[in-house]
Amino acid sequence: QVHLMESGGGSVQPGGSLRLSCAISGRAFGRYSMGWSRQAPGKAREFVATINWNTGNADYADSVRDRFTISRDIANKMVYLQMNSLKPEDTAVYYCAFDSSNYGLKLTNFADYWGAGILVTVSA
């Protein structure tokens, strides 16, 4: 139904920046939200950021607020996550998410569809 493809991951030093991209394809229309979650080794997947596709309203986990910015490109069906002031604690596999509920990703880490994930490593 919906396919999500992440790109832009890699390795960066603490304090550095990285920009993740997510391409949306398939039957994605109507009202929905897009977002990002992440999973560190040995940890549960956790919510990072979400954006309402229709309104552009965004929300963030407290751990990344003021450092990360989520945005969208409506015409090209792209979602981005600009990550600044990166910390070692940000090291994780990051997953793009499609959420038809508008609340599921933030509240319960629910998504209708997930990307395969992309690794971000922050270390000196």
Side-chain angles (χ1 to χ4, degrees):
Q1 183 91 323
V2 176
H3 180 70
L4 308 174
M5 182 64 188
E6 303 100 335
S7 62
S11 182
V12 66
Q13 293 184 327
S17 297
L18 211 58
R19 184 182 177 92
L20 303 182
S21 299
C22 176
I24 308 164
S25 62
R27 195 169 179 171
F29 61 89
R31 300 186 181 277
Y32 59 92
S33 294
M34 295 295 303
W36 297 88
S37 292
R38 66 187 182 186
Q39 187 168 20
K43 303 291 185 179
R45 191 175 299 188
E46 64 176 355
F47 165 75
V48 174
T50 187
I51 185 166
N52 186 298
W53 190 260
N54 308 95
T55 67
N57 293 148
D59 203 359
Y60 303 88
D62 289 340
S63 59
V64 307
R65 197 182 306 275
D66 300 324
R67 299 189 298 119
F68 291 11
T69 302
I70 187 170
S71 61
R72 77 206 197 283
D73 182 332
I74 296 174
N76 294 307
K77 289 191 174 181
M78 297 286 293
V79 179
Y80 304 98
L81 185 68
Q82 179 67 45
M83 304 182 292
N84 298 326
S85 301
L86 283 161
K87 306 174 181 179
E89 306 92 88
D90 297 317
T91 296
V93 175
Y94 284 70
Y95 297 89
C96 184
F98 175 98
D99 175 24
S100 63
S101 74
N102 284 332
Y103 300 99
L105 189 65
K106 178 183 179 180
L107 297 180
T108 67
N109 204 30
F110 167 83
D112 301 276
Y113 302 96
W114 296 96
I118 190 164
L119 180 63
V120 171
T121 301
V122 185
S123 66

